[in-house]
Amino acid sequence: MVSVSLKMNEPYFPTIPLENVGKLYKNTPVSQLIEQAIQRHEGEFSSSGALVVKTGRHTGRSAQDKFVVRDAITEDTVWWDNTKAISPGSFDILLQDFTEHLEGKEVFVQDLYAGADPAHRLSTRVITEYAWHALFIRNLLRRPDEQDLESFEAEFTIINLPSFQADVERHGVRTDTVIACDFTRKLVLIGGTSYAGEIKKSVFSYLNFSLPEKAVMPMHCSANVGQHDDVAVFFGLSGTGKTTLSADPKRTLLGDDEHGWSENGVYNFEGGCYAKTINLCANAEPEIYAASNKFGTVLENVVLHGTSRQPDFCNNSLTENTRSAYPLHYIANASSVGQAGHPKNIIMLTADAFGVLPPIAKLTPDQAMYHFLSGYTAKVAGTEKGVDGVSATFSTCFGAPFMPRHPCDYGNLLRDLIAEHNVDCWLVNTGWTAGAYGVGHRMPIAVTRALLDAVLTGALKQEEMCMDTLFGFEVPMSVEGVEKSVLTPRETWDDPHEYDIQAHQLVKMFRENFRQFEEMVDSEVCLAAPVLSQAAE
């Protein structure tokens, strides 16, 4: 046995005892973690050297099994309408049982940073029982240099034990799977699931809770930067093109998923990417494809071809949610520092499967807050289990499952930052045009890229605009390289009356969803809502 004691967060939390573990691997490098994973039969090599693993019954996040400790600190700061609570006493029992479960096990510890901005980074310690989980989070977070490791003190700790089974009665939870977050003691306990995304999202959830206190805006977004430090931020839910559109060969990638906006500018929380790989191909996404076929990458639930062991990225027999986790430097044009200045443009991406929204619209600050709080996109049959036909999705702040505070806390902070730095805001529809899903077609990627190029070069600000009578935002009347009729959705439909009917339904959905925020936002934000009376009955 090795005697190791990792102190954290005193006086808030006592020492986590690891003196009874079988063996402890601390800050093990990539090659050794892969060697351990192979020897322990946790995964296998692909033909290109990526480590391929299976996550078992959990192939995505277990959102219904995530809890936050309700105590004096969180009582008035956490949005309990959107968050399941666990008592401090239940958490203590859970921690005691986690500690006992660790006895005799081999344990992997990684000391990492969450955040590229030294003024706001979070020193994070991750304790796992799987070597591949240690490799995953080493790829995804930022890796301290040797000098920093010598003086490293963890502010935040995650213990991840997939073999631990929670007890519903004893621990006060829903099932044998648990993700329990104690924000006061800065500790997360994950048990009963092998899906590695729970580790990453636990870090993001804590940053979402803590950073607004420092007037830092946490954002579920991708970001890139041009040659003149002109930063662009891309908000968007899954399937809207957040990763694809930020991967621009003419610009430097800051990151594809999670960022902060501080007094110093925009910075990446991560040091890697966790990309979806279903139907991934070299022609459409060459950077992600290349990174997914490198030694050190973790491929989650990707099926391999027979004896060739080549990844079959089109095979969804295990899950649609196949993933690739790789360090950011595997992307050729990625930023090595993960930091840049304040944004010049904020792009809110939506995939409108109803075919109503224009391909691009300019937003006022109040409209930007309205659409940020709405977090609208639409899903179609086959994209997600249980989705039949077209389904509207409103995920506030473009990431409701990871937002512990009330959405207005984030919305007000975002609006203040937009005003302070004079940021231009845009709503971009990457969904359907010339009709709803089943009749129309997906917005051509070439059209979206042409519109974004016009935004990022400043050319679109020079174009003549007209006001959309339903949503009240401004829509360009023409853009070089884009067919004029595409800019006005109603003109692309064969039957304009059918468009009016569909538009009426979408406006109604927006207004019904926003009722939950009306008493908590300024009247100007409420007035940014689409106007139902001007839509066809």
Side-chain angles (χ1 to χ4, degrees), residues 154-228:
E155 303 171 68
F156 178 69
T157 298
I158 297 171
I159 305 177
N160 182 31
L161 304 177
S163 65
F164 180 88
Q165 301 292 300
D167 183 291
V168 173
E169 296 298 326
R170 176 172 170 79
H171 301 126
V173 295
R174 192 181 73 98
T175 68
D176 59 4
T177 298
V178 62
I179 302 96
C181 311
D182 190 323
F183 291 152
T184 300
R185 295 183 281 192
K186 303 178 184 178
L187 175 65
V188 175
L189 306 176
I190 302 172
T193 173
S194 296
Y195 181 66
E198 298 287 11
I199 311 173
K200 161 190 155 82
K201 290 303 183 184
S202 294
V203 177
F204 190 34
S205 294
Y206 177 72
L207 290 171
N208 273 344
F209 173 77
S210 60
L211 287 177
E213 293 282 357
K214 303 165 68 176
V216 176
M217 177 68 189
M219 303 179 292
H220 183 214
C221 70
S222 59
N224 62 26
V225 57
Q227 294 180 352
H228 305 291

Side-chain angles (χ1 to χ4, degrees), residues 73-146:
I73 300 295
T74 59
E75 178 65 42
D76 297 324
T77 51
V78 166
W79 184 30
W80 295 110
D81 289 348
N82 190 55
T83 307
K84 287 183 169 63
I86 188 173
S87 70
S90 293
F91 187 90
D92 287 342
I93 294 171
L94 189 64
L95 176 60
Q96 176 186 332
D97 292 348
F98 260 63
T99 302
E100 291 177 1
H101 192 77
L102 279 168
E103 291 184 6
K105 292 187 179 298
E106 290 188 339
V107 173
F108 298 85
V109 176
Q110 288 286 318
D111 291 333
L112 302 158
Y113 290 136
D117 185 345
H120 300 291
R121 70 189 179 194
L122 179 69
S123 298
T124 301
R125 174 165 287 148
V126 180
I127 303 169
T128 72
E129 62 176 317
Y130 290 171
W132 83 261
H133 276 166
L135 174 62
F136 169 90
I137 201 62
R138 186 180 178 90
N139 282 351
L140 265 292
L141 293 186
R142 305 190 70 85
R143 297 155 290 279
D145 59 29
E146 290 297 327

Side-chain angles (χ1 to χ4, degrees), residues 363-422:
L363 305 177
T364 67
D366 290 321
Q367 290 169 342
M369 184 172 178
Y370 180 90
H371 286 279
F372 178 72
L373 291 177
S374 296
Y376 166 70
T377 195
K379 295 178 181 178
V380 299
T383 60
E384 187 174 292
K385 186 177 180 180
V387 176
D388 184 18
V390 179
S391 173
T393 298
F394 293 92
S395 184
T396 187
C397 307
F398 296 99
F402 327 120
M403 303 292 175
R405 293 177 176 271
H406 192 279
C408 290
D409 290 353
Y410 307 107
N412 287 324
L413 182 53
L414 180 65
R415 188 171 63 161
D416 290 347
L417 286 166
I418 288 171
E420 180 181 353
H421 299 286
N422 194 29

